[in-house]
Short mmCIF file of all heavy atoms in Angstrom, two decimals:
data_model
loop_
_atom_site.label_atom_id
_atom_site.label_comp_id
_atom_site.label_asym_id
_atom_site.label_seq_id
_atom_site.Cartn_x
_atom_site.Cartn_y
_atom_site.Cartn_z
N ASP V 1 5.29 7.80 -8.42
CA ASP V 1 6.42 8.16 -9.28
C ASP V 1 6.69 7.00 -10.23
O ASP V 1 7.13 5.93 -9.82
CB ASP V 1 7.65 8.46 -8.40
CG ASP V 1 8.88 8.80 -9.24
OD1 ASP V 1 8.77 8.81 -10.48
OD2 ASP V 1 9.93 9.05 -8.63
N GLY V 2 6.46 7.21 -11.47
CA GLY V 2 6.59 6.15 -12.45
C GLY V 2 8.01 5.74 -12.74
O GLY V 2 8.25 4.72 -13.37
N SER V 3 9.01 6.50 -12.27
CA SER V 3 10.40 6.15 -12.56
C SER V 3 10.93 5.09 -11.61
O SER V 3 11.98 4.53 -11.84
CB SER V 3 11.29 7.40 -12.48
OG SER V 3 11.33 7.87 -11.15
N ASP V 4 10.21 4.82 -10.54
CA ASP V 4 10.63 3.83 -9.56
C ASP V 4 9.69 2.64 -9.64
O ASP V 4 8.47 2.80 -9.53
CB ASP V 4 10.57 4.46 -8.16
CG ASP V 4 10.81 3.43 -7.08
OD1 ASP V 4 11.91 2.88 -7.03
OD2 ASP V 4 9.88 3.15 -6.31
N PRO V 5 10.22 1.42 -9.83
CA PRO V 5 9.32 0.27 -10.02
C PRO V 5 8.40 0.02 -8.82
O PRO V 5 7.24 -0.36 -9.01
CB PRO V 5 10.26 -0.91 -10.25
CG PRO V 5 11.65 -0.42 -10.07
CD PRO V 5 11.63 1.08 -10.01
N VAL V 6 8.92 0.21 -7.61
CA VAL V 6 8.06 -0.01 -6.43
C VAL V 6 6.98 1.06 -6.37
O VAL V 6 5.79 0.77 -6.16
CB VAL V 6 8.91 -0.06 -5.14
CG1 VAL V 6 8.01 -0.20 -3.92
CG2 VAL V 6 9.91 -1.20 -5.20
N GLY V 7 7.39 2.32 -6.57
CA GLY V 7 6.41 3.40 -6.57
C GLY V 7 5.36 3.21 -7.66
O GLY V 7 4.17 3.45 -7.45
N ALA V 8 5.80 2.76 -8.83
CA ALA V 8 4.86 2.54 -9.93
C ALA V 8 3.88 1.41 -9.59
O ALA V 8 2.68 1.52 -9.89
CB ALA V 8 5.64 2.21 -11.21
N ALA V 9 4.38 0.34 -8.96
CA ALA V 9 3.50 -0.78 -8.59
C ALA V 9 2.49 -0.34 -7.54
O ALA V 9 1.31 -0.73 -7.58
CB ALA V 9 4.34 -1.95 -8.07
N VAL V 10 2.95 0.46 -6.57
CA VAL V 10 2.03 0.96 -5.53
C VAL V 10 0.97 1.86 -6.17
O VAL V 10 -0.23 1.72 -5.90
CB VAL V 10 2.81 1.70 -4.43
CG1 VAL V 10 1.88 2.45 -3.49
CG2 VAL V 10 3.68 0.72 -3.64
N HIS V 11 1.41 2.75 -7.04
CA HIS V 11 0.46 3.65 -7.71
C HIS V 11 -0.58 2.86 -8.48
O HIS V 11 -1.80 3.11 -8.35
CB HIS V 11 1.25 4.59 -8.63
CG HIS V 11 0.40 5.60 -9.32
ND1 HIS V 11 0.81 6.29 -10.43
CD2 HIS V 11 -0.86 6.02 -9.08
CE1 HIS V 11 -0.16 7.10 -10.83
NE2 HIS V 11 -1.18 6.95 -10.03
N ALA V 12 -0.13 1.88 -9.28
CA ALA V 12 -1.07 1.08 -10.09
C ALA V 12 -2.06 0.34 -9.20
O ALA V 12 -3.27 0.28 -9.50
CB ALA V 12 -0.29 0.11 -10.96
N ALA V 13 -1.56 -0.23 -8.09
CA ALA V 13 -2.45 -0.98 -7.19
C ALA V 13 -3.45 -0.04 -6.51
O ALA V 13 -4.61 -0.40 -6.30
CB ALA V 13 -1.62 -1.74 -6.15
N TRP V 14 -3.00 1.16 -6.16
CA TRP V 14 -3.90 2.14 -5.52
C TRP V 14 -5.05 2.52 -6.46
O TRP V 14 -6.19 2.64 -6.05
CB TRP V 14 -3.11 3.38 -5.09
CG TRP V 14 -3.10 3.61 -3.62
CD1 TRP V 14 -3.69 4.65 -2.94
CD2 TRP V 14 -2.46 2.81 -2.61
NE1 TRP V 14 -3.47 4.52 -1.60
CE2 TRP V 14 -2.72 3.41 -1.37
CE3 TRP V 14 -1.70 1.62 -2.66
CZ2 TRP V 14 -2.26 2.87 -0.17
CZ3 TRP V 14 -1.24 1.10 -1.46
CH2 TRP V 14 -1.52 1.72 -0.25
N VAL V 15 -4.70 2.68 -7.73
CA VAL V 15 -5.73 3.03 -8.73
C VAL V 15 -6.68 1.85 -8.93
O VAL V 15 -7.91 1.99 -8.90
CB VAL V 15 -5.07 3.46 -10.06
CG1 VAL V 15 -6.12 3.62 -11.15
CG2 VAL V 15 -4.30 4.76 -9.87
N LYS V 16 -6.10 0.66 -9.10
CA LYS V 16 -6.90 -0.55 -9.35
C LYS V 16 -7.91 -0.79 -8.22
O LYS V 16 -9.06 -1.15 -8.47
CB LYS V 16 -5.96 -1.75 -9.51
CG LYS V 16 -6.68 -3.08 -9.71
CD LYS V 16 -5.68 -4.23 -9.84
CE LYS V 16 -6.38 -5.56 -9.64
NZ LYS V 16 -5.41 -6.67 -9.52
N HIS V 17 -7.46 -0.61 -6.98
CA HIS V 17 -8.33 -0.88 -5.83
C HIS V 17 -9.13 0.34 -5.40
O HIS V 17 -9.89 0.26 -4.43
CB HIS V 17 -7.50 -1.43 -4.66
CG HIS V 17 -6.99 -2.82 -4.90
ND1 HIS V 17 -7.71 -3.94 -4.59
CD2 HIS V 17 -5.86 -3.25 -5.50
CE1 HIS V 17 -7.02 -5.03 -4.95
NE2 HIS V 17 -5.89 -4.63 -5.50
N ASP V 18 -8.95 1.44 -6.11
CA ASP V 18 -9.70 2.66 -5.81
C ASP V 18 -9.60 2.98 -4.31
O ASP V 18 -10.60 3.17 -3.62
CB ASP V 18 -11.16 2.47 -6.24
CG ASP V 18 -11.87 3.81 -6.46
OD1 ASP V 18 -11.17 4.83 -6.55
OD2 ASP V 18 -13.11 3.81 -6.54
N VAL V 19 -8.35 2.98 -3.81
CA VAL V 19 -8.11 3.04 -2.36
C VAL V 19 -8.57 4.36 -1.75
O VAL V 19 -9.25 4.38 -0.73
CB VAL V 19 -6.62 2.80 -2.04
CG1 VAL V 19 -6.35 3.03 -0.56
CG2 VAL V 19 -6.19 1.40 -2.46
N ALA V 20 -8.21 5.46 -2.37
CA ALA V 20 -8.41 6.75 -1.72
C ALA V 20 -9.89 7.08 -1.58
O ALA V 20 -10.68 6.84 -2.48
CB ALA V 20 -7.71 7.85 -2.51
N GLN V 21 -10.22 7.63 -0.41
CA GLN V 21 -11.59 8.13 -0.24
C GLN V 21 -11.50 9.65 -0.20
O GLN V 21 -11.55 10.30 -1.24
CB GLN V 21 -12.23 7.51 1.00
CG GLN V 21 -13.74 7.67 0.99
CD GLN V 21 -14.40 6.68 1.92
OE1 GLN V 21 -14.02 5.52 2.02
NE2 GLN V 21 -15.43 7.14 2.62
N CYS V 22 -11.30 10.27 0.98
CA CYS V 22 -11.15 11.73 0.97
C CYS V 22 -9.77 12.15 0.51
O CYS V 22 -9.56 13.27 0.07
CB CYS V 22 -11.42 12.31 2.36
SG CYS V 22 -10.06 12.14 3.51
N GLY V 23 -8.78 11.23 0.66
CA GLY V 23 -7.43 11.52 0.23
C GLY V 23 -6.52 12.09 1.29
O GLY V 23 -5.31 12.11 1.12
N TYR V 24 -7.10 12.53 2.42
CA TYR V 24 -6.33 13.22 3.46
C TYR V 24 -5.11 12.43 3.91
O TYR V 24 -4.02 12.99 4.06
CB TYR V 24 -7.26 13.50 4.64
CG TYR V 24 -6.60 14.19 5.81
CD1 TYR V 24 -6.33 15.55 5.78
CD2 TYR V 24 -6.25 13.46 6.94
CE1 TYR V 24 -5.72 16.17 6.86
CE2 TYR V 24 -5.65 14.07 8.02
CZ TYR V 24 -5.39 15.43 7.98
OH TYR V 24 -4.78 16.03 9.03
N CYS V 25 -5.29 11.14 4.15
CA CYS V 25 -4.22 10.31 4.72
C CYS V 25 -3.33 9.68 3.65
O CYS V 25 -2.36 9.01 3.98
CB CYS V 25 -4.81 9.18 5.55
SG CYS V 25 -5.60 7.91 4.53
N GLN V 26 -3.68 9.86 2.38
CA GLN V 26 -3.15 8.94 1.36
C GLN V 26 -1.67 9.13 1.03
O GLN V 26 -1.00 8.16 0.69
CB GLN V 26 -4.01 9.01 0.11
CG GLN V 26 -5.42 8.47 0.34
CD GLN V 26 -5.46 6.98 0.59
OE1 GLN V 26 -4.79 6.23 -0.10
NE2 GLN V 26 -6.22 6.56 1.60
N SER V 27 -1.16 10.36 1.12
CA SER V 27 0.27 10.49 0.81
C SER V 27 1.10 9.72 1.83
O SER V 27 2.07 9.05 1.46
CB SER V 27 0.69 11.96 0.74
OG SER V 27 0.29 12.64 1.90
N GLY V 28 0.70 9.75 3.11
CA GLY V 28 1.40 8.98 4.12
C GLY V 28 1.25 7.49 3.92
O GLY V 28 2.20 6.72 4.10
N GLN V 29 0.04 7.08 3.54
CA GLN V 29 -0.19 5.64 3.30
C GLN V 29 0.71 5.15 2.17
O GLN V 29 1.32 4.08 2.26
CB GLN V 29 -1.66 5.39 2.90
CG GLN V 29 -2.70 5.90 3.88
CD GLN V 29 -2.87 5.05 5.12
OE1 GLN V 29 -2.13 4.09 5.34
NE2 GLN V 29 -3.83 5.39 5.93
N ILE V 30 0.78 5.93 1.11
CA ILE V 30 1.55 5.50 -0.06
C ILE V 30 3.05 5.50 0.27
O ILE V 30 3.77 4.59 -0.15
CB ILE V 30 1.19 6.40 -1.26
CG1 ILE V 30 -0.21 6.01 -1.76
CG2 ILE V 30 2.23 6.29 -2.38
CD1 ILE V 30 -0.82 6.99 -2.74
N MET V 31 3.50 6.47 1.05
CA MET V 31 4.92 6.46 1.44
C MET V 31 5.23 5.25 2.31
O MET V 31 6.27 4.60 2.13
CB MET V 31 5.28 7.75 2.17
CG MET V 31 5.42 8.93 1.23
SD MET V 31 6.22 10.34 1.97
CE MET V 31 4.94 10.91 3.06
N SER V 32 4.33 4.92 3.25
CA SER V 32 4.57 3.75 4.10
C SER V 32 4.55 2.47 3.27
O SER V 32 5.37 1.57 3.48
CB SER V 32 3.49 3.65 5.18
OG SER V 32 3.65 4.69 6.11
N ALA V 33 3.59 2.36 2.36
CA ALA V 33 3.50 1.16 1.53
C ALA V 33 4.76 0.98 0.69
O ALA V 33 5.30 -0.12 0.58
CB ALA V 33 2.26 1.24 0.64
N THR V 34 5.24 2.09 0.11
CA THR V 34 6.42 2.01 -0.74
C THR V 34 7.66 1.64 0.08
O THR V 34 8.43 0.76 -0.32
CB THR V 34 6.62 3.36 -1.47
OG1 THR V 34 5.43 3.64 -2.22
CG2 THR V 34 7.80 3.30 -2.42
N ALA V 35 7.81 2.26 1.25
CA ALA V 35 8.97 1.95 2.10
C ALA V 35 8.91 0.49 2.54
O ALA V 35 9.94 -0.21 2.56
CB ALA V 35 8.99 2.87 3.31
N PHE V 36 7.71 0.02 2.90
CA PHE V 36 7.55 -1.37 3.34
C PHE V 36 7.94 -2.33 2.21
O PHE V 36 8.72 -3.27 2.42
CB PHE V 36 6.11 -1.61 3.77
CG PHE V 36 5.77 -3.05 4.01
CD1 PHE V 36 6.43 -3.77 4.99
CD2 PHE V 36 4.80 -3.70 3.26
CE1 PHE V 36 6.13 -5.12 5.21
CE2 PHE V 36 4.49 -5.02 3.47
CZ PHE V 36 5.15 -5.74 4.45
N LEU V 37 7.43 -2.10 1.01
CA LEU V 37 7.72 -3.02 -0.09
C LEU V 37 9.19 -2.98 -0.47
O LEU V 37 9.78 -4.00 -0.84
CB LEU V 37 6.82 -2.70 -1.28
CG LEU V 37 5.35 -3.06 -1.05
CD1 LEU V 37 4.47 -2.50 -2.15
CD2 LEU V 37 5.15 -4.56 -0.91
N LYS V 38 9.83 -1.82 -0.34
CA LYS V 38 11.27 -1.74 -0.61
C LYS V 38 12.08 -2.52 0.43
O LYS V 38 13.20 -2.94 0.15
CB LYS V 38 11.73 -0.28 -0.66
CG LYS V 38 11.30 0.41 -1.93
CD LYS V 38 11.87 1.82 -2.03
CE LYS V 38 11.32 2.48 -3.28
NZ LYS V 38 12.27 3.33 -3.96
N SER V 39 11.52 -2.68 1.62
CA SER V 39 12.24 -3.39 2.69
C SER V 39 12.07 -4.91 2.57
O SER V 39 12.75 -5.66 3.28
CB SER V 39 11.71 -2.94 4.05
OG SER V 39 10.46 -3.56 4.35
N GLN V 40 11.18 -5.35 1.72
CA GLN V 40 10.89 -6.78 1.61
C GLN V 40 11.88 -7.47 0.68
O GLN V 40 12.25 -6.91 -0.36
CB GLN V 40 9.48 -6.99 1.02
CG GLN V 40 8.37 -6.51 1.91
CD GLN V 40 8.17 -7.44 3.08
OE1 GLN V 40 7.75 -8.57 2.95
NE2 GLN V 40 8.52 -6.95 4.26
N PRO V 41 12.29 -8.72 1.03
CA PRO V 41 13.12 -9.48 0.09
C PRO V 41 12.36 -9.69 -1.22
O PRO V 41 11.14 -9.86 -1.20
CB PRO V 41 13.33 -10.82 0.81
CG PRO V 41 12.95 -10.59 2.22
CD PRO V 41 11.99 -9.45 2.25
N LYS V 42 13.09 -9.65 -2.34
CA LYS V 42 12.44 -9.79 -3.65
C LYS V 42 11.68 -11.11 -3.72
O LYS V 42 12.19 -12.15 -3.34
CB LYS V 42 13.50 -9.72 -4.75
CG LYS V 42 12.92 -9.86 -6.14
CD LYS V 42 13.60 -8.95 -7.15
CE LYS V 42 12.98 -9.10 -8.53
NZ LYS V 42 11.63 -8.53 -8.62
N GLY V 43 10.46 -11.05 -4.21
CA GLY V 43 9.66 -12.25 -4.40
C GLY V 43 8.87 -12.69 -3.18
O GLY V 43 8.05 -13.59 -3.26
N LYS V 44 9.11 -12.05 -2.02
CA LYS V 44 8.39 -12.45 -0.81
C LYS V 44 7.01 -11.82 -0.80
O LYS V 44 6.86 -10.62 -1.00
CB LYS V 44 9.17 -12.00 0.43
CG LYS V 44 8.46 -12.35 1.73
CD LYS V 44 9.25 -11.88 2.94
CE LYS V 44 8.51 -12.20 4.23
NZ LYS V 44 7.25 -11.46 4.36
N GLN V 45 5.98 -12.64 -0.57
CA GLN V 45 4.62 -12.12 -0.47
C GLN V 45 4.32 -11.86 1.01
O GLN V 45 4.31 -12.79 1.80
CB GLN V 45 3.62 -13.12 -1.06
CG GLN V 45 2.19 -12.61 -1.15
CD GLN V 45 2.06 -11.38 -2.05
OE1 GLN V 45 2.70 -11.27 -3.07
NE2 GLN V 45 1.21 -10.44 -1.65
N PRO V 46 4.12 -10.61 1.40
CA PRO V 46 3.88 -10.33 2.82
C PRO V 46 2.52 -10.85 3.27
O PRO V 46 1.57 -10.91 2.49
CB PRO V 46 3.93 -8.80 2.90
CG PRO V 46 3.63 -8.32 1.52
CD PRO V 46 4.14 -9.39 0.58
N THR V 47 2.44 -11.22 4.54
CA THR V 47 1.16 -11.64 5.11
C THR V 47 0.31 -10.41 5.42
O THR V 47 0.83 -9.28 5.50
CB THR V 47 1.37 -12.42 6.42
OG1 THR V 47 1.95 -11.52 7.38
CG2 THR V 47 2.30 -13.62 6.22
N ALA V 48 -0.97 -10.64 5.63
CA ALA V 48 -1.86 -9.53 5.99
C ALA V 48 -1.39 -8.88 7.29
O ALA V 48 -1.42 -7.65 7.43
CB ALA V 48 -3.30 -10.05 6.13
N ALA V 49 -0.91 -9.71 8.23
CA ALA V 49 -0.44 -9.16 9.51
C ALA V 49 0.80 -8.29 9.32
O ALA V 49 0.95 -7.25 9.97
CB ALA V 49 -0.15 -10.30 10.49
N GLU V 50 1.68 -8.72 8.44
CA GLU V 50 2.89 -7.91 8.16
C GLU V 50 2.49 -6.58 7.52
O GLU V 50 3.07 -5.53 7.84
CB GLU V 50 3.84 -8.69 7.24
CG GLU V 50 4.55 -9.82 7.94
CD GLU V 50 5.32 -10.73 6.99
OE1 GLU V 50 4.97 -10.82 5.79
OE2 GLU V 50 6.27 -11.37 7.47
N ILE V 51 1.54 -6.63 6.60
CA ILE V 51 1.09 -5.40 5.96
C ILE V 51 0.45 -4.48 7.00
O ILE V 51 0.76 -3.28 7.07
CB ILE V 51 0.10 -5.71 4.82
CG1 ILE V 51 0.81 -6.47 3.69
CG2 ILE V 51 -0.54 -4.41 4.29
CD1 ILE V 51 -0.12 -7.03 2.63
N ASP V 52 -0.42 -5.04 7.83
CA ASP V 52 -1.08 -4.22 8.86
C ASP V 52 -0.04 -3.61 9.80
O ASP V 52 -0.16 -2.44 10.19
CB ASP V 52 -2.07 -5.06 9.66
CG ASP V 52 -3.32 -5.40 8.85
OD1 ASP V 52 -3.51 -4.82 7.77
OD2 ASP V 52 -4.09 -6.25 9.31
N GLY V 53 0.99 -4.40 10.16
CA GLY V 53 2.04 -3.88 11.04
C GLY V 53 2.79 -2.73 10.40
O GLY V 53 3.07 -1.72 11.05
N ALA V 54 3.09 -2.88 9.11
CA ALA V 54 3.85 -1.85 8.41
C ALA V 54 3.04 -0.57 8.23
O ALA V 54 3.59 0.53 8.18
CB ALA V 54 4.28 -2.38 7.04
N MET V 55 1.72 -0.71 8.14
CA MET V 55 0.86 0.43 7.85
C MET V 55 0.24 1.02 9.11
O MET V 55 -0.56 1.96 9.02
CB MET V 55 -0.26 0.00 6.88
CG MET V 55 0.22 -0.59 5.56
SD MET V 55 1.26 0.52 4.59
CE MET V 55 0.07 1.78 4.15
N ALA V 56 0.61 0.49 10.28
CA ALA V 56 -0.09 0.85 11.52
C ALA V 56 0.12 2.30 11.94
O ALA V 56 -0.67 2.83 12.72
CB ALA V 56 0.35 -0.09 12.64
N GLY V 57 1.16 2.95 11.43
CA GLY V 57 1.41 4.32 11.82
C GLY V 57 0.50 5.34 11.14
O GLY V 57 0.56 6.53 11.46
N ASN V 58 -0.33 4.89 10.22
CA ASN V 58 -1.17 5.80 9.45
C ASN V 58 -2.63 5.62 9.82
O ASN V 58 -3.21 4.56 9.61
CB ASN V 58 -1.01 5.54 7.95
CG ASN V 58 0.42 5.78 7.49
OD1 ASN V 58 0.82 6.91 7.31
ND2 ASN V 58 1.16 4.71 7.35
N ILE V 59 -3.22 6.67 10.34
CA ILE V 59 -4.65 6.63 10.67
C ILE V 59 -5.43 7.10 9.44
O ILE V 59 -5.09 8.12 8.83
CB ILE V 59 -4.96 7.58 11.85
CG1 ILE V 59 -4.11 7.22 13.05
CG2 ILE V 59 -6.44 7.56 12.19
CD1 ILE V 59 -4.27 5.83 13.58
N CYS V 60 -6.48 6.36 9.09
CA CYS V 60 -7.37 6.76 8.00
C CYS V 60 -8.76 6.95 8.58
O CYS V 60 -9.41 5.99 8.98
CB CYS V 60 -7.39 5.70 6.90
SG CYS V 60 -8.54 6.10 5.58
N ARG V 61 -9.21 8.19 8.62
CA ARG V 61 -10.53 8.45 9.22
C ARG V 61 -11.65 7.94 8.32
O ARG V 61 -12.80 7.84 8.75
CB ARG V 61 -10.70 9.94 9.52
CG ARG V 61 -10.70 10.81 8.28
CD ARG V 61 -10.71 12.28 8.65
NE ARG V 61 -10.65 13.09 7.43
CZ ARG V 61 -10.42 14.38 7.41
NH1 ARG V 61 -10.22 15.04 8.55
NH2 ARG V 61 -10.39 15.04 6.29
N CYS V 62 -11.33 7.63 7.07
CA CYS V 62 -12.34 7.08 6.15
C CYS V 62 -12.41 5.56 6.21
O CYS V 62 -13.27 4.97 5.56
CB CYS V 62 -12.05 7.52 4.73
SG CYS V 62 -12.07 9.31 4.51
N GLY V 63 -11.47 4.92 6.93
CA GLY V 63 -11.53 3.47 7.07
C GLY V 63 -11.26 2.72 5.78
O GLY V 63 -11.95 1.76 5.45
N THR V 64 -10.21 3.13 5.07
CA THR V 64 -9.88 2.45 3.81
C THR V 64 -8.94 1.27 4.03
O THR V 64 -8.35 0.78 3.07
CB THR V 64 -9.23 3.44 2.82
OG1 THR V 64 -7.98 3.90 3.38
CG2 THR V 64 -10.13 4.63 2.54
N TYR V 65 -8.84 0.78 5.25
CA TYR V 65 -7.80 -0.20 5.58
C TYR V 65 -7.89 -1.49 4.76
O TYR V 65 -6.87 -2.05 4.38
CB TYR V 65 -7.85 -0.55 7.07
CG TYR V 65 -7.62 0.64 7.96
CD1 TYR V 65 -8.65 1.16 8.73
CD2 TYR V 65 -6.38 1.27 8.01
CE1 TYR V 65 -8.44 2.27 9.54
CE2 TYR V 65 -6.17 2.38 8.82
CZ TYR V 65 -7.21 2.87 9.58
OH TYR V 65 -7.00 3.97 10.37
N ALA V 66 -9.10 -1.97 4.48
CA ALA V 66 -9.23 -3.22 3.72
C ALA V 66 -8.69 -3.04 2.30
O ALA V 66 -7.99 -3.91 1.78
CB ALA V 66 -10.68 -3.68 3.69
N ARG V 67 -8.97 -1.88 1.71
CA ARG V 67 -8.48 -1.64 0.35
C ARG V 67 -6.97 -1.41 0.37
O ARG V 67 -6.27 -1.82 -0.56
CB ARG V 67 -9.20 -0.44 -0.29
CG ARG V 67 -10.69 -0.71 -0.50
CD ARG V 67 -11.30 0.20 -1.53
NE ARG V 67 -11.27 1.61 -1.21
CZ ARG V 67 -12.15 2.25 -0.42
NH1 ARG V 67 -13.14 1.58 0.12
NH2 ARG V 67 -12.03 3.53 -0.18
N ILE V 68 -6.47 -0.76 1.41
CA ILE V 68 -5.02 -0.58 1.53
C ILE V 68 -4.33 -1.93 1.60
O ILE V 68 -3.35 -2.17 0.89
CB ILE V 68 -4.68 0.27 2.78
CG1 ILE V 68 -5.07 1.72 2.55
CG2 ILE V 68 -3.20 0.15 3.16
CD1 ILE V 68 -5.02 2.59 3.79
N ARG V 69 -4.85 -2.82 2.44
CA ARG V 69 -4.23 -4.15 2.60
C ARG V 69 -4.21 -4.88 1.25
O ARG V 69 -3.21 -5.49 0.86
CB ARG V 69 -4.97 -4.95 3.66
CG ARG V 69 -4.25 -6.21 4.07
CD ARG V 69 -5.07 -7.02 5.06
NE ARG V 69 -5.43 -6.26 6.24
CZ ARG V 69 -6.68 -6.12 6.67
NH1 ARG V 69 -7.69 -6.69 6.05
NH2 ARG V 69 -6.91 -5.42 7.75
N ALA V 70 -5.34 -4.84 0.56
CA ALA V 70 -5.44 -5.52 -0.74
C ALA V 70 -4.49 -4.90 -1.75
O ALA V 70 -3.85 -5.62 -2.54
CB ALA V 70 -6.88 -5.46 -1.24
N ALA V 71 -4.37 -3.59 -1.74
CA ALA V 71 -3.52 -2.92 -2.72
C ALA V 71 -2.04 -3.21 -2.45
O ALA V 71 -1.26 -3.43 -3.38
CB ALA V 71 -3.77 -1.41 -2.71
N VAL V 72 -1.63 -3.23 -1.17
CA VAL V 72 -0.23 -3.53 -0.86
C VAL V 72 0.09 -4.96 -1.26
O VAL V 72 1.15 -5.23 -1.85
CB VAL V 72 0.06 -3.29 0.64
CG1 VAL V 72 1.47 -3.75 1.00
CG2 VAL V 72 -0.09 -1.81 0.99
N ALA V 73 -0.83 -5.90 -0.99
CA ALA V 73 -0.60 -7.29 -1.38
C ALA V 73 -0.50 -7.42 -2.90
O ALA V 73 0.36 -8.14 -3.42
CB ALA V 73 -1.74 -8.18 -0.85
N ASP V 74 -1.34 -6.69 -3.60
CA ASP V 74 -1.32 -6.72 -5.07
C ASP V 74 -0.01 -6.15 -5.61
O ASP V 74 0.57 -6.69 -6.55
CB ASP V 74 -2.51 -5.88 -5.57
CG ASP V 74 -3.23 -6.55 -6.71
OD1 ASP V 74 -3.22 -7.79 -6.76
OD2 ASP V 74 -3.78 -5.82 -7.54
N ALA V 75 0.44 -5.05 -5.03
CA ALA V 75 1.69 -4.44 -5.47
C ALA V 75 2.85 -5.41 -5.23
O ALA V 75 3.75 -5.54 -6.08
CB ALA V 75 1.93 -3.12 -4.74
N ALA V 76 2.83 -6.13 -4.10
CA ALA V 76 3.90 -7.10 -3.81
C ALA V 76 3.88 -8.22 -4.85
O ALA V 76 4.93 -8.66 -5.32
CB ALA V 76 3.71 -7.68 -2.40
N ARG V 77 2.68 -8.68 -5.22
CA ARG V 77 2.57 -9.71 -6.26
C ARG V 77 3.12 -9.20 -7.59
O ARG V 77 3.81 -9.92 -8.31
CB ARG V 77 1.11 -10.16 -6.42
CG ARG V 77 0.70 -11.27 -5.47
CD ARG V 77 -0.67 -11.84 -5.83
NE ARG V 77 -1.74 -10.89 -5.61
CZ ARG V 77 -2.35 -10.69 -4.43
NH1 ARG V 77 -2.01 -11.40 -3.38
NH2 ARG V 77 -3.31 -9.80 -4.32
N ALA V 78 2.79 -7.96 -7.91
CA ALA V 78 3.23 -7.39 -9.18
C ALA V 78 4.75 -7.27 -9.24
O ALA V 78 5.36 -7.35 -10.31
CB ALA V 78 2.59 -6.01 -9.39
N LEU V 79 5.39 -7.10 -8.07
CA LEU V 79 6.84 -6.92 -8.02
C LEU V 79 7.59 -8.23 -7.91
O LEU V 79 8.81 -8.26 -8.06
CB LEU V 79 7.21 -6.02 -6.82
CG LEU V 79 6.79 -4.55 -6.97
CD1 LEU V 79 6.78 -3.87 -5.60
CD2 LEU V 79 7.70 -3.83 -7.93
N ALA V 80 6.88 -9.33 -7.64
CA ALA V 80 7.53 -10.62 -7.38
C ALA V 80 8.18 -11.18 -8.64
O ALA V 80 7.74 -10.89 -9.75
CB ALA V 80 6.53 -11.62 -6.82
S1 LIG R 1 -8.89 8.42 2.71
FE1 LIG R 1 -9.83 9.81 4.07
S2 LIG R 1 -8.53 9.75 5.82
FE2 LIG R 1 -7.84 8.12 4.59
#
């Protein structure tokens, strides 16, 4: 959703990292990523472990976890 800065940053990072594979899990991944980044203090760069913890509720049968982690970190940098 381009009207929300966090949603826009997540969307841009997802496109940049070409995260989606089959797409099945992706709406849940994007909702979790957006909720996680909204919960973060402004300017804080989350650790990989924090990102993994926040995203742990979403199973991806395509194994896109490395790209998800990179995209969430990138979105956090873009929002800082
Ligand atoms: S992209 Fe296929 S299940 Fe996650």
Side-chain angles (χ1 to χ4, degrees):
D1 178 1
S3 66
D4 172 65
V6 176
V10 169
H11 182 198
W14 243 247
V15 172
K16 177 180 164 191
H17 289 272
D18 202 14
V19 173
Q21 197 160 320
C22 78
Y24 178 78
C25 72
Q26 294 292 316
S27 52
Q29 305 284 5
I30 286 168
M31 284 194 288
S32 291
T34 302
F36 170 62
L37 290 170
K38 285 185 184 217
S39 78
Q40 294 287 292
K42 180 141 181 71
K44 178 180 179 294
Q45 187 61 38
T47 65
E50 287 171 335
I51 294 170
D52 287 349
M55 302 301 292
N58 298 282
I59 304 301
C60 177
R61 64 187 177 191
C62 300
T64 63
Y65 300 111
R67 295 201 297 278
I68 288 169
R69 191 184 304 126
V72 174
D74 223 30
R77 273 190 293 275
L79 290 162

